[in-house]
Amino acid sequence: MNDNNVLICGGSGLVGTKLAGLLRREGYKVMILSRRKNADQAEFYYWDPARDFINPDAILNANIIINVAGAGIADRKWSARRKAEIQNSRVQSTDLIYKKLQELKVRPDLFISASAVGFYGDRGDEVLEEHSSAGQGFLAETALKWERAAMRIHDLGVRTVVFRIGVVLAREGGALSKLAQPVRLYVGAPLGEGTQYVSWIHIDDLCRMFLMAIRNKRLSGIFNAVSPEPVTNGGLTTAIAEELERPLILPAVPEFALRLAMGEMAHVVLDSTRVSSERIQTAGFEFRYAKLPAALSDLLAG
Ligand SMILES: NC(=O)c1ccc[n+]([C@@H]2O[C@H](COP(=O)([O-])OP(=O)(O)OC[C@H]3O[C@@H](n4cnc5c(N)ncnc54)[C@H](OP(=O)(O)O)[C@@H]3O)[C@@H](O)[C@H]2O)c1
């Protein structure tokens, strides 16, 4: 086996698809691990973390394993069942990779795990660094368990990098299309007070960060994956409106209305997380999209 075989667990989604494209262009052989039934076609392996199943060949044929699997946090209202799915899809999937590495007695050169800035919870304007404490609430608890599971792979002697990812801005989906759609239709408005911080990252920068983690063999541990300039929710909505040349004519959507409509899931849009990118920059990462207007003009154009 050459040392360029990458397995992306949960690689069929927004981040995984873009990352797979970048890595293939850079000469890596990329395999996707998926729960899809047609997954035994070339370049796909099948797993089902909920049933504790993983095709062992996926693990045996990879020297770099990246886990970006996880049920969408804003796809559906948070019932108890949905919350269990959100958490289990992250923690059990990581545990399953750990167990298989143990069982098959193999050690990849590198394991990269996604985590999320939800780790920090709702923190006002506090600047959050990797050593900052975990926050309160379901998202923070989930991220904490997820990272602990990833660090067990580190304890096997595998170089491990965890990215605490901010809101990923992309053309293909995710938060930006949900935010831009009402603005396009002249019904865009800040959410809640609009003063809560949003730590965002352009998807290309995120994928380049994963590539850096592969290439820079000294990189290890937890890194915030956010741009250097978090903005407020109001600032983000305004910047989208400016890029789309639409006025914002409606008042902010009141917090109580969001809580009523979204239930506990309102945390996704109301929590304030102002996250620092200093550590990854000190490690040598250079952002292509450090500023929001440049990112939006790239992603919302035409
Ligand atoms: N996008 C963001 O703004 C953002 C922000 C912070 C953190 N993150 C984290 O980054 C990772 C990738 O994000 P993404 O936007 O690419 O997510 P995504 O588009 O929703 O893709 C995630 C993939 O996870 C797999 N998956 C879904 N439910 C699952 C379950 N119950 N069990 C196992 N696998 C499941 C799916 O693959 P199959 O259906 O093929 O199995 C899916 O393609 C996620 O872990 C997410 O939490 C994303």
Side-chain angles (χ1 to χ4, degrees):
M1 179 173 57
N2 68 38
D3 60 1
N4 276 348
N5 291 343
V6 183
L7 177 72
I8 308 182
C9 317
S12 62
L14 182 69
V15 173
T17 304
K18 198 83 182 188
L19 179 60
L22 173 67
L23 295 181
R24 286 187 180 121
R25 285 196 300 281
E26 293 292 327
Y28 293 88
K29 180 164 189 279
V30 180
M31 298 289 172
I32 305 295
L33 194 58
S34 168
R35 298 161 308 152
R36 287 196 231 157
K37 285 294 174 198
N38 63 353
D40 35 56
Q41 56 185 279
E43 307 196 331
F44 271 90
Y45 286 111
Y46 178 72
W47 74 337
D48 189 348
R51 293 193 174 75
D52 219 26
F53 177 81
I54 184 168
N55 180 339
D57 288 342
I59 297 288
L60 290 169
N61 292 334
N63 56 302
I64 297 166
I65 300 179
I66 299 175
N67 188 17
V68 289
I73 61 158
D75 290 358
R76 229 171 295 158
K77 243 176 146 177
W78 289 1
S79 61
R81 193 168 159 189
R82 182 63 182 168
K83 280 166 76 174
E85 193 180 357
I86 287 172
Q87 192 164 104
N88 290 341
S89 57
R90 290 167 172 80
V91 181
Q92 285 178 357
S93 63
T94 313
D95 283 344
L96 180 56
I97 297 165
Y98 170 84
K99 273 192 286 184
K100 270 292 153 188
L101 292 175
Q102 287 278 62
E103 206 179 294
L104 298 168
K105 296 188 174 48
V106 288
R107 300 290 180 264
D109 299 329
L110 170 65
F111 175 63
I112 306 179
S113 177
S115 176
V117 297
F119 172 90
Y120 299 110
D122 185 17
R123 302 288 275 268
D125 61 2
E126 181 183 349
V127 176
L128 299 158
E129 297 182 334
E130 288 80 352
H131 57 78
S132 300
S133 59
Q136 306 288 319
F138 171 68
L139 291 176
E141 180 205 304
T142 298
L144 188 64
K145 289 185 178 166
W146 194 7
E147 292 184 8
R148 283 193 180 141
M151 283 307 170
R152 288 175 71 205
I153 294 179
H154 171 264
D155 295 344
L156 293 176
V158 177
R159 181 166 75 90
T160 296
V161 175
V162 172
F163 285 121
R164 273 185 201 147
I165 304 171
V167 173
V168 178
L169 301 184
R171 194 183 276 271
E172 298 79 3
L176 185 58
S177 37
K178 290 190 185 114
L179 289 164
Q181 180 71 354
V183 176
R184 282 187 211 279
L185 299 172
Y186 298 90
V187 290
L191 302 176
E193 297 272 302
T195 54
Q196 67 276 32
Y197 275 93
V198 180
S199 294
W200 60 274
I201 184 166
H202 188 298
I203 194 162
D204 290 356
D205 278 334
L206 178 62
C207 293
R208 290 174 54 246
M209 244 179 233
F210 278 82
L211 182 63
M212 173 182 167
I214 293 174
R215 287 188 172 152
N216 181 347
K217 306 221 167 5
R218 283 179 319 210
L219 212 72
S220 173
I222 296 172
F223 293 85
N224 291 330
V226 296
S227 76
E229 291 190 9
V231 290
T232 62
N233 173 278
L236 177 57
T237 314
T238 305
I240 292 171
E242 278 168 8
E243 181 56 38
L244 294 174
E245 297 180 350
R246 296 284 198 280
L248 285 179
I249 45 182
L250 296 180
V253 185
E255 198 173 311
F256 78 86
L258 288 165
R259 292 198 194 280
L260 202 66
M262 299 175 75
E264 194 183 351
M265 194 172 78
H267 282 285
V268 174
V269 292
L270 292 176
D271 283 2
S272 184
T273 39
R274 185 183 188 184
V275 179
S276 163
S277 60
E278 204 177 310
R279 184 166 191 226
I280 194 75
Q281 287 181 287
T282 304
F285 187 77
E286 287 178 20
F287 284 90
R288 223 167 254 170
Y289 299 97
K291 295 195 184 291
L292 185 61
L296 292 180
S297 116
D298 176 62
L299 296 169
L300 293 173

